[in-house]
């Protein structure tokens, strides 16, 4: 037992946990913004994958890190805009449209990878660039604190910062107010002059931006190549983390860290005969139970006459 | 449904497929442009020729074997086409049931995976009696799928928790549980990779063609299609499901217990989805060999969408999907075009088929036409409403 705790509580483990959490956190913040607007973005998985791909390809073929980051973000936002266009203008069911985009991302990246490099598995032959880690000057010299605070990937710092930015955006700015208003009651929002479609378009594009950063981290930080389906369900896990944390950025961040650290723990716990399948599925089981408790409390409070949950309103529209 | 409505839906699916194939052609064309120093006209000509050649394999490869001496029937392609349609017909049916009630079931993937994994245990250890044990194995998978679907069903019906999120989460639980079962209890330690022990011979599905492993799964799938069609269109239960989908408030006012129906719909859908994986294993592979989820649950969503949730159209949509997939694989064998191009086509088709407003102006015109043809059917409200 002692050994087990030591394995879990080592600095390496914490560093690994933070690394695993970063892409989930970014996508989960994206899920938060989209969900707040009443338009759940299920395409996060695909957006991350496409941005990861674009980052590797652009940096490999042009040698420019900044261009790669810029294009990764622009393409990620564009995919979200396609989703928004189909869902809001052409009235496609947003869930089905997002599933289509995920299918496109999974197969399309493999197709274009094969077309550009001749290899269908990974971009090993492409000499792509890495986004660097950051050592914070003074703090990295302090023994314990330095290990925890310094030396992480630049996007990890950006992600941590973005927790506060998203929280501020959603609860302290006019745009955030509009997004929440549109999500809560689109008719009421429309009646006071807020353009529902425009606001949702913006919210989805913000979520695309956040997810694209997560994708860039995966292929230009977590590892240094693109591999087929390398997101491996992180976009879905992000949705779970968002569901767990509700519409509060700090809650969502806590949910993301739970998922990230259980995944990191699943590798260390394998040594102690705890099957990693069990630790890996634990966060999902926790999410289901927590969702069940949320829902049960809501049903109990509102009774039969109370308002139904917002998710139901969306599916009815 | 008005006649023009149905015709319009058909046109829209046709046009969507056409646009998808065109986009595919353009991509193939661009990737066929040869590099090197050449006049651009010559380059275009060469790209045009090789793109046509690639599309010939893509569109006909599943049925026709192209040889220098001439074309002949491609038996292996045909059998592969039919075999690959089997699991996705079944998941397509499962998804169309929940979609009819305007519910979601993203969990078909997990229900299918876990159903296959647990039924694998039965297929290995249950005494191999022809027919009896096969049926027993399939029923086991069915029960597992139903049981697993009961969780999101219950949470939606009783607690109003979004089935979208819960069924999605359960996919992962099912995936890890399934792998764990195979790895710990059923693993074939002689094999190089992680696969289960082989099924008993007598448990396997009978074959129609030994050489290319054409199994009778297609008849099971078609039988299920008729069963689901009967349930949805000819029984009160099916009618209630449709009423819930059309207008849940109205259904409740007319005395339907909507919570109960939502639960039942999820369970029935799960039972159907549960069988999709094991039927393929029983017919083709003879053991459990998936390290990744094969994605049939997702395909089911595409197919139910294409079939407009009508069970009778599900096999057609599934056969279409597996036709272009087999065609793409054959194209990949003869040219340098990766078969994953199909994913791009699928995405375009789903996006356009489900886009309500796509071609809506055209629909407007055809409605007007029909209205003028039969004067008494003019409904100004309906005409005015369509934006």
């Amino acid at each position: 037992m002692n050994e087990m705790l030591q394995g879990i509580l080592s600095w390496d483990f914490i560093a690994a946990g933070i690394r695993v959490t970063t892409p989930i956190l970014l996508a989960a913040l994206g899920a938060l913004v989209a969900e707040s607007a009443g338009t759940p973005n299920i395409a996060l998985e695909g957006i991350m994958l496409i941005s990861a791909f674009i980052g590797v390809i652009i940096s490999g073929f042009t040698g420019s890190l900044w261009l790669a980051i810029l294009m990764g973000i622009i393409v990620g936002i564009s995919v979200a805009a396609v989703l928004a266009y189909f869902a809001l203008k052409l009235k496609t069911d947003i869930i089905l449209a997002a599933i289509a985009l995920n299918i496109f991302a999974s197969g399309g990246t493999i197709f274009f990878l094969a077309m550009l490099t001749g290899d269908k598995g990974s971009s090993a032959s492409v000499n792509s660039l890495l986004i660097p880690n950051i050592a914070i000057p003074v703090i990295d010299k302090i023994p314990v604190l330095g290990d925890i605070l310094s030396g992480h990937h630049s996007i990890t710092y950006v992600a941590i910062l973005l927790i506060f930015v998203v929280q501020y955006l959603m609860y302290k700015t006019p745009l955030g107010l509009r997004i929440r208003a549109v999500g809560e009651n689109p008719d009421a929002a429309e009646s006071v002059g807020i353009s529902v479609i425009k606001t949702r378009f913006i919210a989805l594009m913000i979520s695309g931006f956040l997810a694209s950063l997560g994708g860039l981290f995966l292929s230009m930080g977590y590892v240094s190549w693109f591999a087929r389906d390398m997101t491996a369900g992180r976009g879905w896990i992000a949705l779970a983390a968002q569901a767990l944390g509700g519409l509060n950025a700090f809650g969502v961040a806590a949910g993301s860290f739970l998922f990230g650290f259980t995944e990191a723990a699943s590798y260390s716990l394998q040594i102690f005969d705890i099957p990693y399948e069990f630790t890996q599925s634990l966060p999902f089981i926790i999410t289901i139970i927590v969702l069940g408790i949320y829902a049960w409390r809501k049903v109990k409070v509102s009774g039969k006459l109370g308002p139904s949950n917002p998710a139901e309103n969306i599916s009815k529209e | 449904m008005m006649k023009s409505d149905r015709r319009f839906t058909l046109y829209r699916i046709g046009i969507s497929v056409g646009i998808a194939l065109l986009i595919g052609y353009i991509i193939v064309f661009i990737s066929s442009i040869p590099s090197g120093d050449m006049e651009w006209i010559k380059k275009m000509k060469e790209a045009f020729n090789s793109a046509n050649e690639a599309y010939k394999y893509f569109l006909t490869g599943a049925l026709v074997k192209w040889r220098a001496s001439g074309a002949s029937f491609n038996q292996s392609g045909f059998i592969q086409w039919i075999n690959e349609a089997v699991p996705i017909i079944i998941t397509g049916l499962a998804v169309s049931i929940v979609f009819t009630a305007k519910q979601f079931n993203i969990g078909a993937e997990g229900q299918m995976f876990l159903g296959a994994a647990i039924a694998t245990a039965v297929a290995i250890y249950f005494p191999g009696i022809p027919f009896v044990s096969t049926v027993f194995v399939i029923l086991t998978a069915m029960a597992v799928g139903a049981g697993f679907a009961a969780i999101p069903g219950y949470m939606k019906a009783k607690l109003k928790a979004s089935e979208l999120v819960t069924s999605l989460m359960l996919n992962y639980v099912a995936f890890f549980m399934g792998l764990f079962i195979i790895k710990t209890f059923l693993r074939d330690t002689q094999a190089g990779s992680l696969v289960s022990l082989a099924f008993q011979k007598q448990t396997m599905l009978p074959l129609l063609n030994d050489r290319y492993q054409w199994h009778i799964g297609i008849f099971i799938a078609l039988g299920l299609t008729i069963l689901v069609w009967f349930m949805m269109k000819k029984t009160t239960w099916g009618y209630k499901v449709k009423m819930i989908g059309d207008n849940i408030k109205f259904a409740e006012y007319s005395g339907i217990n909507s919570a109960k129906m939502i639960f039942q719909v999820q369970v029935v859908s799960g039972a159907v989805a549960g069988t999709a994986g094991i039927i393929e294993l029983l017919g083709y592979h003879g053991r459990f060999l998936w390290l990744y989820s094969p994605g049939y649950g997702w395909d089911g969503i595409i197919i139910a969408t294409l079939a407009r949730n009508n069970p009778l159209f599900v096999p057609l949509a599934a056969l279409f999907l597996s036709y272009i997939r087999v065609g793409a694989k054959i194209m990949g064998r003869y040219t340098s075009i990766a078969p994953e191009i199909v994913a791009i086509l699928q995405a375009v088709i789903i996006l356009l088929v489900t886009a309500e407003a796509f071609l809506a102006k055209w629909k407007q015109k055809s409605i007007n036409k029909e209205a003028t043809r039969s004067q008494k059917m003019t409904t100004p409200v309906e005409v005015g409403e369509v934006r």
Side-chain angles (χ1 to χ4, degrees):
Chain A
M1 191 67 199
N2 235 343
E3 243 177 291
M4 194 148 104
L5 279 177
Q6 262 174 13
I8 290 183
L9 293 176
S10 70
W11 302 128
D12 283 349
F13 168 73
I14 290 175
I18 290 172
R19 210 168 53 233
V20 177
T21 304
T22 303
I24 298 173
L25 173 60
L26 284 163
L29 289 173
L32 161 71
V33 176
E35 182 72 37
S36 301
T39 44
N41 184 354
I42 311 272
L44 295 167
E45 175 85 6
I47 294 172
M48 284 168 94
L49 195 60
I50 290 175
S51 290
F53 175 75
I54 295 288
V56 163
I57 292 298
I58 300 278
S59 76
F61 282 82
T62 67
S64 163
L65 185 61
W66 288 109
L67 190 65
I69 296 172
L70 188 71
M71 286 308 291
I73 290 172
I74 288 177
V75 171
I77 294 176
S78 315
V79 177
V82 169
L83 174 68
Y85 182 78
F86 269 92
L88 304 171
K89 294 276 187 190
L90 293 182
K91 311 279 180 217
T92 308
D93 184 296
I94 192 163
I95 307 290
L96 288 176
I99 289 172
L101 288 175
N102 286 333
I103 293 169
F104 171 80
S106 170
T109 49
I110 299 172
F111 177 81
F112 288 110
L113 185 69
M115 186 174 141
L116 294 170
T117 71
D119 186 346
K120 270 166 72 175
S122 78
S123 68
S125 61
V126 180
N127 202 0
S128 61
L129 304 174
L130 275 175
I131 302 172
N133 288 8
I134 294 180
I136 306 172
V138 182
I139 294 173
D140 68 336
K141 297 285 186 301
I142 306 168
V144 178
L145 212 58
D147 281 334
I148 302 175
L149 292 180
S150 179
H152 296 297
H153 195 261
S154 350
I155 292 182
T156 301
Y157 292 110
V158 173
I160 304 281
L161 195 68
L162 279 171
I163 302 172
F164 298 94
V165 172
V166 168
Q167 183 71 1
Y168 183 82
L169 171 82
M170 294 308 296
Y171 291 93
K172 298 279 186 232
T173 64
L175 177 64
L177 180 68
R178 282 207 297 274
I179 290 177
R180 285 184 295 128
V182 162
E184 208 129 292
N185 192 333
D187 294 333
E190 190 85 66
S191 75
V192 293
I194 300 173
S195 165
V196 174
I197 288 184
K198 193 176 137 200
T199 312
R200 286 183 164 167
F201 226 106
I202 294 170
L204 282 171
M205 281 164 68
I206 294 174
S207 83
F209 163 72
L210 291 163
S212 69
L213 281 181
L216 288 173
F217 172 81
L218 278 179
S219 66
M220 303 175 81
Y222 193 75
V223 293
S224 59
W225 58 83
F226 176 86
R228 61 185 296 168
D229 291 320
M230 74 183 305
T231 41
R234 289 186 177 83
W236 303 112
I237 294 171
L239 290 174
Q242 187 276 317
L244 205 55
L247 297 181
N248 181 308
F250 300 116
V252 169
S256 307
F257 276 103
L258 173 74
F259 276 94
F261 275 82
T262 35
E263 194 183 329
S266 66
Y267 300 118
S268 359
L269 285 177
Q270 236 173 334
I271 315 163
F272 306 100
D273 274 349
I274 296 175
Y276 97 107
E277 286 90 355
F278 175 75
T279 26
Q280 290 257 290
S281 49
L282 199 60
F284 296 103
I285 297 172
I286 294 173
T287 309
I288 293 168
I289 293 171
V290 170
L291 283 180
I293 294 171
Y294 280 170
W296 176 69
R297 272 178 32 202
K298 215 186 263 167
V299 169
K300 217 175 107 185
V301 170
S302 64
K304 288 221 159 151
L305 294 170
S308 52
N309 68 14
E312 228 181 9
N313 288 332
I314 298 155
S315 58
K316 265 183 215 152
E317 270 163 33
Chain B
M1 203 196 276
M2 273 204 292
K3 210 171 129 203
S4 69
D5 239 21
R6 195 171 297 171
R7 189 149 26 97
F8 172 70
T9 305
L10 206 64
Y11 285 158
R12 188 159 73 184
I13 291 175
I15 288 172
S16 306
V17 170
I19 291 177
L21 288 174
L22 187 68
I23 292 176
Y25 184 83
I26 293 169
I27 295 172
V28 169
F29 181 82
I30 292 171
S31 61
S32 305
I33 296 175
S35 54
D37 291 326
M38 252 191 276
E39 275 177 78
W40 72 271
I41 290 201
K42 212 171 163 198
K43 265 190 177 180
M44 288 296 127
K45 220 172 182 177
E46 211 155 295
F48 184 66
N49 283 338
S50 45
N52 282 352
E53 181 78 2
Y55 245 54
K56 184 180 80 182
Y57 288 120
F58 179 43
L59 293 180
T60 63
L63 289 175
V64 186
K65 211 173 224 160
W66 296 97
R67 289 251 174 76
S69 53
S72 62
F73 177 62
N74 183 355
Q75 200 187 9
S76 91
F78 173 77
I79 290 175
Q80 200 186 349
W81 170 35
I82 303 295
N83 273 350
E84 283 197 12
V86 172
I88 56 180
I89 290 176
I90 299 174
T91 49
L93 290 171
V95 174
S96 70
I97 295 172
V98 275
F99 274 12
T100 306
K102 289 243 163 63
Q103 300 290 308
F104 251 101
N105 180 7
I106 291 197
E109 186 73 29
Q111 289 144 17
M112 174 224 99
F113 194 84
L114 191 65
I118 292 179
T120 292
V122 183
I124 293 170
Y125 292 118
F126 193 75
I129 313 158
F131 187 72
V132 177
S133 48
T134 311
V135 171
F136 187 62
V137 169
I138 294 173
L139 286 179
T140 309
M142 203 174 238
V144 172
F148 216 63
I151 304 170
Y154 179 85
M155 288 181 72
K156 175 67 190 263
K158 286 282 165 193
L159 307 172
K160 293 192 176 162
S162 159
E163 79 279 16
L164 191 72
V165 181
T166 47
S167 65
L168 191 62
M169 304 291 99
L170 284 169
N171 274 348
Y172 283 88
V173 181
F175 174 67
F176 289 122
M177 267 169 80
L179 272 191
F180 177 72
I181 291 167
I182 299 295
K183 211 161 98 181
T184 359
F185 305 114
L186 307 170
R187 182 170 190 173
D188 183 355
T189 43
Q190 309 288 316
S193 55
L194 173 59
V195 293
S196 80
L197 295 160
F199 297 163
Q200 313 208 26
K201 272 265 150 9
Q202 297 88 334
T203 314
M204 297 277 290
L205 292 181
L207 295 179
L208 299 169
N209 174 311
D210 287 344
R211 186 155 167 231
Y212 299 113
Q213 286 262 336
W214 186 10
H215 57 85
I216 61 153
I218 185 69
F219 298 113
I220 301 178
L222 292 178
L224 263 175
T225 304
I226 292 169
L227 190 72
V228 170
W229 167 80
F230 183 81
M231 237 166 51
M232 300 305 286
K233 302 278 173 177
K234 300 284 165 198
T235 65
T236 347
W237 188 82
Y239 187 68
K240 283 183 190 166
V241 172
K242 192 175 172 307
M243 269 180 87
I244 295 223
D246 287 347
N247 189 338
I248 193 163
K249 286 262 152 62
F250 180 73
E252 269 173 6
Y253 287 134
S254 51
I256 293 173
N257 182 345
S258 66
K260 198 170 118 194
M261 287 306 294
I262 286 170
F263 177 73
Q264 287 178 359
V265 160
Q266 291 284 355
V267 171
V268 169
S269 161
V272 175
T275 63
I278 193 69
I279 286 176
E280 180 168 271
L281 296 180
L282 283 173
Y284 196 78
H285 303 292
R287 57 175 73 209
F288 190 98
L289 42 60
W290 290 316
L291 295 178
Y292 298 97
S293 232
Y296 297 147
W298 299 106
D299 295 340
I301 294 172
I302 305 175
I303 287 160
T305 309
L306 271 181
R308 297 254 134 189
N309 305 333
N310 184 336
L312 287 185
F313 294 156
V314 163
L316 293 180
L319 282 168
F320 166 72
L321 202 61
S322 79
Y323 185 84
I324 61 171
R325 281 182 184 172
V326 172
K329 275 182 207 161
I330 290 168
M331 173 173 74
R333 222 177 289 151
Y334 289 102
T335 66
S336 60
I337 315 269
E340 278 76 11
I341 192 171
V342 170
I344 300 171
L345 306 193
Q346 281 172 19
V348 174
I349 293 172
I350 305 176
L351 280 176
L352 294 180
V353 167
T354 52
E356 299 266 329
F358 174 57
L359 300 179
K361 265 190 192 151
W362 192 46
K363 181 183 183 181
Q364 177 70 59
K365 266 188 203 154
S366 74
I367 288 175
N368 286 346
K369 227 165 131 193
E370 187 163 328
T372 38
R373 211 180 298 142
S374 56
Q375 290 286 333
K376 58 182 175 218
M377 265 184 67
T378 324
T379 45
V381 179
E382 202 168 46
V383 172
E385 283 284 308
V386 183
R387 257 174 279 170

